[in-house]
mmCIF file of all heavy atoms in Angstrom:
data_model
loop_
_atom_site.group_PDB
_atom_site.id
_atom_site.type_symbol
_atom_site.label_atom_id
_atom_site.label_comp_id
_atom_site.label_asym_id
_atom_site.label_seq_id
_atom_site.Cartn_x
_atom_site.Cartn_y
_atom_site.Cartn_z
ATOM 1 N N THR A 6 48.140 -31.281 44.095
ATOM 2 C CA THR A 6 47.525 -30.875 42.874
ATOM 3 C C THR A 6 46.070 -31.187 42.841
ATOM 4 O O THR A 6 45.672 -32.313 43.192
ATOM 5 C CB THR A 6 48.233 -31.522 41.668
ATOM 6 O OG1 THR A 6 49.599 -31.186 41.663
ATOM 7 C CG2 THR A 6 47.641 -31.099 40.347
ATOM 8 N N HIS A 7 45.249 -30.274 42.327
ATOM 9 C CA HIS A 7 43.791 -30.481 42.176
ATOM 10 C C HIS A 7 43.681 -31.310 40.911
ATOM 11 O O HIS A 7 43.936 -30.811 39.756
ATOM 12 C CB HIS A 7 43.102 -29.151 41.959
ATOM 13 C CG HIS A 7 41.583 -29.243 41.998
ATOM 14 N ND1 HIS A 7 40.888 -29.879 40.890
ATOM 15 C CD2 HIS A 7 40.648 -28.943 42.916
ATOM 16 C CE1 HIS A 7 39.570 -29.790 41.177
ATOM 17 N NE2 HIS A 7 39.487 -29.228 42.384
ATOM 18 N N ARG A 8 43.362 -32.619 41.075
ATOM 19 C CA ARG A 8 43.345 -33.550 39.971
ATOM 20 C C ARG A 8 42.325 -33.194 38.876
ATOM 21 O O ARG A 8 42.605 -33.521 37.621
ATOM 22 C CB ARG A 8 43.103 -35.015 40.573
ATOM 23 C CG ARG A 8 44.196 -35.555 41.427
ATOM 24 C CD ARG A 8 45.578 -35.272 41.019
ATOM 25 N NE ARG A 8 45.922 -36.011 39.796
ATOM 26 C CZ ARG A 8 46.939 -35.756 39.037
ATOM 27 N NH1 ARG A 8 47.794 -34.817 39.245
ATOM 28 N NH2 ARG A 8 47.166 -36.487 37.868
ATOM 29 N N GLY A 9 41.249 -32.695 39.249
ATOM 30 C CA GLY A 9 40.206 -32.308 38.190
ATOM 31 C C GLY A 9 40.753 -31.168 37.296
ATOM 32 O O GLY A 9 40.660 -31.144 36.093
ATOM 33 N N ALA A 10 41.487 -30.247 37.952
ATOM 34 C CA ALA A 10 42.066 -29.089 37.199
ATOM 35 C C ALA A 10 43.236 -29.624 36.385
ATOM 36 O O ALA A 10 43.359 -29.177 35.169
ATOM 37 C CB ALA A 10 42.547 -28.015 38.121
ATOM 38 N N ALA A 11 44.029 -30.580 36.835
ATOM 39 C CA ALA A 11 45.204 -31.080 36.169
ATOM 40 C C ALA A 11 44.777 -31.819 34.895
ATOM 41 O O ALA A 11 45.521 -31.763 33.852
ATOM 42 C CB ALA A 11 45.953 -32.024 37.025
ATOM 43 N N LYS A 12 43.576 -32.344 34.816
ATOM 44 C CA LYS A 12 43.013 -33.060 33.666
ATOM 45 C C LYS A 12 42.483 -32.053 32.563
ATOM 46 O O LYS A 12 42.383 -32.462 31.468
ATOM 47 C CB LYS A 12 41.954 -34.041 34.015
ATOM 48 C CG LYS A 12 42.504 -35.215 34.822
ATOM 49 C CD LYS A 12 41.399 -36.005 35.474
ATOM 50 C CE LYS A 12 41.996 -37.045 36.409
ATOM 51 N NZ LYS A 12 40.963 -37.798 37.198
ATOM 52 N N ARG A 13 42.185 -30.892 33.060
ATOM 53 C CA ARG A 13 41.504 -29.896 32.218
ATOM 54 C C ARG A 13 42.422 -28.807 31.681
ATOM 55 O O ARG A 13 42.226 -28.274 30.682
ATOM 56 C CB ARG A 13 40.324 -29.264 32.914
ATOM 57 C CG ARG A 13 39.193 -30.152 33.143
ATOM 58 C CD ARG A 13 38.126 -29.505 34.038
ATOM 59 N NE ARG A 13 36.860 -30.295 34.129
ATOM 60 C CZ ARG A 13 36.746 -31.313 34.958
ATOM 61 N NH1 ARG A 13 37.705 -31.723 35.723
ATOM 62 N NH2 ARG A 13 35.604 -31.948 34.976
ATOM 63 N N PHE A 14 43.405 -28.516 32.437
ATOM 64 C CA PHE A 14 44.308 -27.373 32.078
ATOM 65 C C PHE A 14 45.788 -27.799 32.002
ATOM 66 O O PHE A 14 46.226 -28.770 32.740
ATOM 67 C CB PHE A 14 44.229 -26.230 33.126
ATOM 68 C CG PHE A 14 42.851 -25.844 33.327
ATOM 69 C CD1 PHE A 14 42.148 -26.167 34.525
ATOM 70 C CD2 PHE A 14 42.133 -25.115 32.363
ATOM 71 C CE1 PHE A 14 40.864 -25.707 34.768
ATOM 72 C CE2 PHE A 14 40.844 -24.628 32.646
ATOM 73 C CZ PHE A 14 40.198 -24.962 33.809
ATOM 74 N N SER A 15 46.642 -27.112 31.175
ATOM 75 C CA SER A 15 48.008 -27.386 31.050
ATOM 76 C C SER A 15 48.676 -26.018 30.836
ATOM 77 O O SER A 15 47.973 -25.167 30.354
ATOM 78 C CB SER A 15 48.360 -28.410 30.024
ATOM 79 O OG SER A 15 48.001 -27.939 28.752
ATOM 80 N N LEU A 16 49.962 -25.949 31.146
ATOM 81 C CA LEU A 16 50.690 -24.791 30.925
ATOM 82 C C LEU A 16 51.555 -24.803 29.588
ATOM 83 O O LEU A 16 52.006 -25.932 29.282
ATOM 84 C CB LEU A 16 51.700 -24.468 32.070
ATOM 85 C CG LEU A 16 51.030 -24.227 33.390
ATOM 86 C CD1 LEU A 16 52.126 -23.858 34.426
ATOM 87 C CD2 LEU A 16 50.075 -23.010 33.360
ATOM 88 N N THR A 17 51.562 -23.644 28.931
ATOM 89 C CA THR A 17 52.419 -23.592 27.698
ATOM 90 C C THR A 17 53.855 -23.312 28.117
ATOM 91 O O THR A 17 54.079 -23.074 29.281
ATOM 92 C CB THR A 17 51.847 -22.421 26.801
ATOM 93 O OG1 THR A 17 52.010 -21.222 27.471
ATOM 94 C CG2 THR A 17 50.399 -22.690 26.371
#
Side-chain angles (χ1 to χ4, degrees):
T6 299
H7 189 289
R8 298 312 296 162
K12 292 166 189 174
R13 288 171 173 83
F14 306 107
S15 61
L16 293 183
T17 63

